[in-house]
Amino acid sequence: MKKLTKIKKKGSKSLYGSFLYMTLLPLFLFGIVTIVFSSKALSSSIQTEVSNNLKNVSRSVLIAYDRMYPGDYNIVIDGDKVLFYKGIHLLSEDYTLIDNIREQTGVEVSLFFYDTRLLTTISNREERFVNTGANPQIVDEVIKKKSAKFYNNVNINGVPYFAYYEPVFSQD
């Protein structure tokens, strides 16, 4: 006796497979679009929040220095030393305020003269990164345009940072 076998045509699909394909493919694509959109929205929200917090810390540092030491910021070059003053108070090597802010907030603080970091909490274990330069693009965008700016991709000595730069000018 002969055994009967089912004949399948090439390329034919079952009804079950077609419905499965028609329902799962759009759900899969929708899931991918949702994940991409949500991750971009979350990243944008986090960067906005970090920017606002860094802006507040920056303003707080300036207010604290203004209250503690009345007067303008000033630079005096004495031989190979650059002396940084606020009013009559010598700020060079006086890290009391910014170290306290770093301990309380976890935010690194630096004060620059043009493109040179004069005071900072950023350091490796042995030394602070004083007298190091800022990125020329940052100098152009902040100092020359006289406007504050947030950056989400600043690299200082191989460590990535979010950074908020705000120009501070003396009366002269």
Side-chain angles (χ1 to χ4, degrees):
M1 192 178 235
K2 258 186 167 177
K3 190 174 184 183
L4 294 175
T5 59
K6 190 174 180 182
I7 300 174
K8 281 192 171 184
K9 295 180 187 174
K10 281 191 172 181
S12 69
K13 297 181 182 178
S14 70
L15 190 57
Y16 175 76
S18 295
F19 281 133
L20 191 62
Y21 179 75
M22 287 176 19
T23 57
L24 290 182
L25 182 65
L27 285 174
F28 180 72
L29 292 175
F30 178 72
I32 290 174
V33 168
T34 302
I35 289 170
V36 168
F37 177 75
S38 297
S39 65
K40 288 188 182 258
L42 180 63
S43 176
S44 175
S45 295
I46 289 171
Q47 287 185 21
T48 300
E49 186 67 24
V50 168
S51 173
N52 289 337
N53 289 341
L54 291 177
K55 182 179 186 178
N56 290 337
V57 169
S58 171
R59 299 252 166 94
S60 297
V61 168
L62 294 177
I63 290 168
Y65 273 118
D66 284 342
R67 296 260 165 97
M68 289 175 65
Y69 313 115
D72 279 342
Y73 291 95
N74 195 14
I75 300 295
V76 175
I77 299 174
D78 183 22
D80 61 344
K81 288 183 115 182
V82 177
L83 303 174
F84 186 37
Y85 287 90
K86 174 73 167 94
I88 60 171
H89 182 77
L90 178 63
L91 293 178
S92 297
E93 299 182 14
D94 181 1
Y95 300 105
T96 309
L97 178 62
I98 60 175
D99 282 346
N100 189 22
I101 289 170
R102 187 193 182 293
E103 288 172 13
Q104 298 297 318
T105 64
V107 175
E108 302 286 358
V109 177
S110 294
L111 283 100
F112 287 82
F113 171 67
Y114 191 63
D115 65 345
T116 304
R117 187 177 283 110
L118 296 179
L119 286 177
T120 188
T121 58
I122 301 172
S123 65
N124 57 19
R125 301 247 182 234
E126 296 87 38
E127 64 181 340
R128 292 179 190 258
F129 295 142
V130 177
N131 296 324
T132 56
N135 185 314
Q137 178 185 357
I138 293 171
V139 173
D140 285 343
E141 292 176 349
V142 175
I143 301 297
K144 291 181 181 175
K145 292 181 181 177
K146 299 179 182 177
S147 63
K149 185 142 172 122
F150 171 74
Y151 296 90
N152 63 359
N153 58 351
V154 173
N155 193 334
I156 301 171
N157 201 36
V159 178
Y161 288 93
F162 289 113
Y164 181 81
Y165 290 85
E166 185 170 347
V168 178
F169 298 99
S170 294
Q171 288 181 2
D172 60 353

